[in-house]
Amino acid sequence: MFRWFAVLNKLKRRSFFIKLIMTTVLIATIPNLLSDLVAYRKVTRTFEQETGQNKLQYLNQTINVMEIVLNRIKENSNLLVLNQSFQDFERYPNGSYYEAIQGEILKEDLPALYGYLEAKKNAILTINAFKTSNEYVDSVYFYDKNKNLIMTSESDGANRQFPPEAFYDSNWYSALADSHYLVTMETRMAKQYHSSEKHVLSIIYKSTKGQNALIINLDAALIYTEIMNKLNRQDDMYVVSPEGTVLFHSDPHRMFKSLDTILPDNSRIFGGTGSFVTELNQKQMLVSHATSKLLNWTFISISDMQALSKGTASIKQTIALSALLLLLLSVALAYFFSKSLYKPISLLSALTIGKWERKAEHADEIHSIGSFVQSTIHERDFYKEKLEESLPFYREKFKYTLLHRHSLTMEEMEEKKHYLGLTIASHDLAVLLLSLEDGRGRITGSDMITSDLYKMRVIEAIDRCSVMRDGYFVVDSEKDKIAIVVHCPGSDRQQVFQLAQKLLDEVNLELQSELTLGIGRLCPTILDLPQGYEEALEALKYRILYGQGDVISIDDRMIDSESEFTFPKLKEELLLSHIKTAREAEAIQVLNEIVMEIQACKNTLHYNHIQPIFMQLLTGIMNTYHQLGADVRAVLGNEADPYRELLDQDSLDSIGRWFHRLIGLTVAYIERETSARGNQHIAKVIDILERDYSQDISLNSVAEQLNLNPAYISRLFKQSTGHPFVDYLKRVRIERSKVLLAESDMKINEIGKRVGYGNSYYFIKVFKEMMGLTPGEYKKIVGS
């Protein structure tokens, strides 16, 4: 430090030399720095323009996709209204009479009533088919004014019927008065059957008969997620009506609000296309906007210019580096050129300083020495004060050391306690370890500040407990645990357990929580605290068996853990069977029976046995996915890791809830794939058979081409066509051979090879089994 003071003092005495160097450096560098700033400004402006054009392209893509989706839904609506089954129901004679029938039905009305019910069933099936034809359709209503009814096909898969005056979702009635046969409403909050609300986009398609109408409700959140957010994932997207109301956005709190509250400077947005930079929330934001002529909606994307400009960081670094190198080079050259000019002045300055030193008149050095001595005294006082302030930290650190393995002797501990001013007993101690994770899913906090505040609340609650004696201390032992070391002279294991139970009850009552407390064995001396702490930590791991909110003693666990649990293999096989056949209720019932067996044996199980049991069960379910040709990512999501998620569950209840969800997702996937992809897969299989029947083809080779499971193809093929795979292939080959027998002069064995049978005897055998006569006999019949 003194050396730097001396250097600064020397520089003060050579101020002219410093000014000479600075002047030379400024003359050399200012023009270049100005040119770098101009170049950077041009690059930034060009980047803003190009980025704006790219954002407009994304917006136009989003608009095109939205228009295509809505046009497709409108076309499907037209086909639905013109569907014969739908029109039969709508125009059925005396439909309002049959809807109003109550009480006993006249015998002569029964035939017509049966016909009306059949037409109604077909109309409902047609509406359901329309609903499942597009993933964005959330629900469909059919309003029949003559029959005074509303039929629904809802998002939960149910069909219901209401009179208009009792229908739960009625804020589309006013749109029926519109003269257009097709009305696209703005997005709205539609009431659901179970009293909840959902954000939907409603399209009203009026029927050709009277005031009847078809109301299609599209899932607005799904449209935003699958169309707008996918194409513009990194931007803040808004869709705004001509009146300036927000129709689509990811934040529900911003829905249906005026755009003025979000983007005050919006005068340039409506009716045009373009981009501009404005300040929002003290940030520079790029606002791009485009209007759909078909929908008359304005699509807006707002991007953070600071995040977008990260791509120009290399240009900034290059400009800054070049400026720095230029500055260093200028300083070096200015120093060497100025040194020769300053040499006479430096010699004169050295001579003057020498005279001042001989006369003891050099005040600068004395002032420097005095300043150094004074700063040393201040530094000593500063560190002394810091030592006193850090004593609480060293006390807590020493307490923390007592609970972990260390090499201190009893004498060293007593000396350390005396130095830190601690009054901690050295004998008859017990470690109580409090876990800050409670049974309601709450933990210490999502960040360090929240975690520390929660720990302070817990420690204050411990200090206020009536059962705590003076001889105890609290240690912040881990991120989510607090250790309480209690001095309990003359107490046995049962008395310590009762003390811990009272302490836990009072803390949980005050904090309204379900914390858990683990107890190690009694510690004869302070040197045994690490073992007691480790045993208390081990006891807490049995929460997975006992749940939250209890006191768990390591002594109790050692008494009970003597037998082993037998994995319920038969119930596992039954569970997997129910999953394969998409029977969710039966599968969940079997799972609950397995969990109850484990719960009944919790006193004879080690906590490490629980997760392997459920890991084996999860592995069986994963194998079921493979057998069914299913992809785990398609069932659980691209980012899902089921094994990691299972390891994160810390109790039998949470494991059971997790498996309930897994079973529900799996059954839903099987049902969806069976109905949606089954016909598509079978069509591909039939196409392969029709095309490659002459080759050596098999079920395994077809499955390999389609990247599917052979068992899955075999089961689905029989279900769709009514014939096994092998029989269908035989039928295709025999039909082709019949054509060759009738229209060509080829020999029997050549025809057999042509249709895929290398062995002519086997070809003749198969032909006779299917046709009732040999190929030769068939050729004679068709040839004559």
Side-chain angles (χ1 to χ4, degrees):
M1 183 181 292
F2 181 75
R3 188 179 71 176
W4 286 108
F5 283 140
V7 172
L8 292 174
N9 190 31
K10 185 178 179 181
L11 291 176
K12 289 180 181 178
R13 295 196 302 266
R14 303 177 69 180
S15 59
F16 179 79
F17 180 59
I18 300 300
K19 293 177 181 178
L20 184 61
I21 294 175
M22 293 296 296
T23 303
T24 306
V25 170
L26 292 175
I27 293 173
T29 58
I30 285 177
N32 291 281
L33 290 174
L34 290 176
S35 64
D36 288 340
L37 290 175
V38 172
Y40 176 73
R41 180 60 181 170
K42 289 183 177 179
V43 169
T44 303
R45 188 176 303 161
T46 304
F47 174 77
E48 289 179 2
Q49 294 174 354
E50 293 296 327
T51 304
Q53 292 298 324
N54 291 334
K55 296 301 180 183
L56 287 177
Q57 290 180 3
Y58 284 131
L59 283 180
N60 289 327
Q61 291 175 3
T62 304
I63 291 173
N64 291 336
V65 173
M66 279 289 295
E67 291 178 350
I68 290 171
V69 169
L70 292 180
N71 280 331
R72 185 177 300 170
I73 291 174
K74 291 176 182 178
E75 293 171 1
N76 292 343
S77 300
N78 189 32
L79 293 176
L80 173 60
V81 172
L82 298 177
N83 183 275
Q84 188 61 45
S85 298
F86 190 86
Q87 290 189 351
D88 289 343
F89 168 71
E90 191 177 22
R91 299 173 181 176
Y92 199 94
N94 298 325
S96 57
Y97 168 74
Y98 297 120
E99 285 291 339
I101 288 180
Q102 294 183 356
E104 184 177 356
I105 302 174
L106 299 178
K107 186 175 182 180
E108 54 269 25
D109 287 338
L110 287 177
L113 178 60
Y114 290 152
Y116 173 77
L117 293 178
E118 184 66 19
K120 186 175 184 179
K121 182 190 75 173
N122 294 334
I124 292 174
L125 293 177
T126 303
I127 294 174
N128 288 341
F130 167 79
K131 177 181 174 295
T132 58
S133 66
N134 192 292
E135 62 179 329
Y136 301 112
V137 177
D138 179 73
S139 60
V140 180
Y141 310 151
F142 172 61
Y143 168 64
D144 194 322
K145 182 177 181 180
N146 295 330
K147 301 181 182 66
N148 194 37
L149 61 81
I150 296 176
M151 295 192 307
T152 68
S153 178
E154 301 177 33
S155 56
D156 59 358
N159 295 103
R160 299 181 175 91
Q161 177 176 321
F162 304 86
E165 61 273 14
F167 189 47
Y168 54 85
D169 180 21
S170 61
N171 58 3
W172 51 268
Y173 287 168
S174 58
L176 292 175
D178 195 297
S179 60
H180 296 86
Y181 78 96
L182 183 63
V183 180
T184 302
M185 300 179 65
E186 294 182 356
T187 56
R188 62 190 183 91
M189 295 305 295
K191 289 187 178 180
Q192 304 295 296
Y193 180 71
H194 297 291
S195 300
S196 61
E197 289 187 339
K198 193 167 189 177
H199 182 206
V200 301
L201 170 65
S202 296
I203 300 175
I204 299 178
Y205 193 100
K206 295 184 179 179
S207 173
T208 57
K209 181 177 176 60
Q211 294 295 321
N212 296 353
L214 192 69
I215 298 89
I216 300 102
N217 296 314
L218 308 183
D219 190 334
L222 184 62
I223 291 176
Y224 186 92
T225 302
E226 295 296 324
I227 297 179
M228 302 175 190
N229 198 34
K230 274 193 176 180
L231 294 177
N232 302 274
R233 191 181 302 275
Q234 70 275 24
D235 298 335
D236 193 11
M237 282 285 300
Y238 294 86
V239 179
V240 184
S241 69
E243 292 76 22
T245 303
V246 177
L247 302 179
F248 290 91
H249 190 259
S250 60
D251 187 0
H253 298 293
R254 295 191 176 186
M255 293 298 302
F256 311 114
K257 289 189 175 181
S258 174
L259 185 61
D260 294 335
T261 62
I262 301 167
L263 186 63
D265 184 16
N266 58 30
S267 58
R268 294 172 282 179
I269 289 179
F270 293 97
T273 299
S275 298
F276 61 93
V277 177
T278 186
E279 183 173 343
L280 289 176
N281 299 323
Q282 299 181 348
K283 288 185 178 180
Q284 290 295 316
M285 310 298 285
L286 176 65
V287 179
S288 302
H289 58 93
T291 302
S292 169
K293 295 181 179 179
L294 176 64
L295 305 174
N296 203 21
W297 294 344
T298 300
F299 290 71
I300 305 170
S301 71
I302 302 177
S303 311
D304 188 352
M305 283 301 300
Q306 183 178 359
L308 293 174
S309 61
K310 289 182 180 179
T312 62
S314 59
I315 300 176
K316 297 180 183 178
Q317 293 174 359
T318 302
I319 295 175
L321 182 60
S322 63
L324 179 61
L325 292 176
L326 176 62
L327 180 62
L328 294 177
L329 181 61
S330 300
V331 170
L333 292 176
Y335 176 80
F336 287 115
F337 284 112
S338 301
K339 190 173 182 182
S340 59
L341 297 175
Y342 185 72
K343 189 173 182 180
I345 300 175
S346 65
L347 293 174
L348 181 61
S349 177
L351 180 62
T352 303
I353 293 174
K355 291 180 180 179
W356 284 1
E357 288 177 346
R358 286 192 296 270
K359 294 179 181 180
E361 296 177 355
H362 182 45
D364 289 342
E365 292 183 359
I366 295 174
H367 181 267
S368 298
I369 294 172
S371 298
F372 175 75
V373 173
Q374 186 177 8
S375 65
T376 302
I377 295 173
H378 289 166
E379 187 175 1
R380 184 199 63 182
D381 295 339
F382 171 78
Y383 284 112
K384 183 177 179 180
E385 182 180 352
K386 285 295 182 183
L387 179 62
E388 294 176 355
E389 292 177 355
S390 62
L391 274 179
F393 168 76
Y394 287 112
R395 291 190 184 106
E396 295 302 320
K397 185 177 181 181
F398 176 68
K399 294 176 183 177
Y400 180 85
T401 303
L402 293 178
L403 298 180
H404 297 81
R405 299 291 178 178
H406 54 78
S407 57
L408 296 176
T409 63
M410 185 66 77
E411 292 76 13
E412 291 172 338
M413 283 191 179
E414 293 298 331
E415 182 180 353
K416 196 78 171 178
K417 289 193 299 181
H418 177 73
Y419 170 72
L420 296 174
L422 293 173
T423 56
I424 298 175
S426 300
H427 299 85
D428 299 325
L429 302 171
V431 179
L432 315 180
L433 190 58
L434 187 66
S435 173
L436 302 185
E437 295 183 359
D438 70 10
R440 300 186 178 99
R442 299 179 301 197
I443 57 174
T444 57
S446 56
D447 54 73
M448 186 176 296
I449 295 177
T450 308
S451 175
D452 290 342
L453 290 175
Y454 187 77
K455 284 185 177 181
M456 290 175 61
R457 288 185 60 203
V458 174
I459 293 174
E460 290 175 357
I462 294 172
D463 292 336
R464 287 193 292 268
C465 287
S466 60
V467 298
M468 298 306 296
R469 307 168 184 172
D470 294 335
Y472 77 95
F473 62 89
V474 178
V475 182
D476 183 1
S477 60
E478 294 187 25
K479 177 183 177 182
D480 58 347
K481 294 177 179 63
I482 293 177
I484 306 105
V485 179
V486 182
H487 182 216
C488 46
S491 300
D492 57 15
R493 183 172 64 89
Q494 187 62 31
Q495 291 172 326
V496 173
F497 186 89
Q498 294 174 357
L499 170 67
Q501 186 64 61
K502 294 178 181 178
L503 169 65
L504 184 63
D505 291 342
E506 291 190 28
V507 171
N508 281 335
L509 179 61
E510 179 174 344
L511 299 180
Q512 295 297 308
S513 60
E514 292 183 6
L515 307 183
T516 306
L517 194 147
I519 308 176
R521 284 178 290 186
L522 296 180
C523 303
T525 69
I526 197 171
L527 296 176
D528 300 312
L529 287 179
Q531 181 179 358
Y533 174 75
E534 292 171 359
E535 290 175 349
L537 196 63
E538 181 79 7
L540 280 179
K541 294 179 180 179
Y542 284 93
R543 285 176 298 173
I544 194 171
L545 291 168
Y546 285 83
Q548 302 288 139
D550 292 329
V551 176
I552 306 174
S553 173
I554 192 65
D555 291 320
D556 296 335
R557 290 303 310 165
M558 290 183 175
I559 292 173
D560 294 336
S561 56
E562 297 178 353
S563 61
E564 296 183 355
F565 176 78
T566 303
F567 184 80
K569 188 64 179 176
L570 294 178
K571 289 188 177 180
E572 179 197 27
E573 294 175 355
L574 182 59
L575 171 65
L576 299 180
S577 174
H578 289 327
I579 291 176
K580 290 177 183 177
T581 53
R583 289 181 289 180
E584 181 178 357
E586 291 84 348
I588 290 178
Q589 181 179 356
V590 174
L591 174 68
N592 291 339
E593 292 175 0
I594 295 175
V595 173
M596 290 175 62
E597 285 188 18
I598 297 173
Q599 185 72 28
C601 300
K602 67 179 183 181
N603 291 330
T604 62
L605 282 171
H606 192 273
Y607 64 85
N608 284 332
H609 293 165
I610 299 301
Q611 288 178 333
I613 293 173
F614 287 101
M615 280 292 177
Q616 182 174 347
L617 195 60
L618 177 58
T619 301
I621 296 177
M622 294 297 104
N623 290 335
T624 300
Y625 287 173
H626 177 70
Q627 294 171 7
L628 297 176
D631 186 356
V632 177
R633 293 175 298 180
V635 180
L636 305 178
N638 292 331
E639 304 298 328
D641 184 353
Y643 289 99
R644 173 54 56 190
E645 291 180 8
L646 178 56
L647 289 175
D648 291 339
Q649 309 306 313
D650 60 357
S651 68
L652 282 177
D653 290 339
S654 62
I655 290 174
R657 290 192 298 270
W658 186 85
F659 267 99
H660 284 186
R661 175 178 172 273
L662 177 65
I663 291 171
L665 291 175
T666 304
V667 170
Y669 174 83
I670 293 172
E671 292 176 345
R672 185 170 61 252
E673 287 299 303
T674 300
S675 61
R677 296 186 179 179
N679 294 334
Q680 181 182 0
H681 291 159
I682 296 308
K684 291 180 180 180
V685 172
I686 292 176
D687 182 65
I688 293 173
L689 295 181
E690 297 285 348
R691 185 188 65 221
D692 300 334
Y693 65 89
S694 62
Q695 301 178 14
D696 184 12
I697 191 171
S698 65
L699 178 62
N700 289 333
S701 65
V702 172
E704 186 175 354
Q705 289 185 52
L706 298 178
N707 196 25
L708 295 172
N709 186 281
Y712 171 73
I713 290 181
S714 177
R715 175 171 53 83
L716 195 60
F717 193 92
K718 177 67 178 296
Q719 180 181 343
S720 300
T721 66
H723 301 284
F725 176 88
V726 175
D727 291 352
Y728 193 91
L729 177 59
K730 288 179 181 180
R731 184 179 299 276
V732 171
R733 286 174 169 173
I734 296 304
E735 290 299 323
R736 296 298 186 274
S737 67
K738 287 165 62 178
V739 175
L740 294 175
L741 288 169
E743 299 178 359
S744 70
D745 296 330
M746 297 173 61
K747 296 180 179 180
I748 301 300
N749 60 344
E750 293 177 350
I751 292 175
K753 292 179 180 178
R754 179 69 64 88
V755 298
Y757 292 108
N759 189 319
S760 60
Y761 295 104
Y762 183 67
F763 168 60
I764 294 171
K765 178 184 177 182
V766 173
F767 192 96
K768 187 172 182 179
E769 287 177 354
M770 296 189 66
M771 301 302 299
L773 64 166
T774 64
E777 293 170 347
Y778 180 82
K779 187 174 182 66
K780 290 179 181 180
I781 294 173
V782 299
S784 59

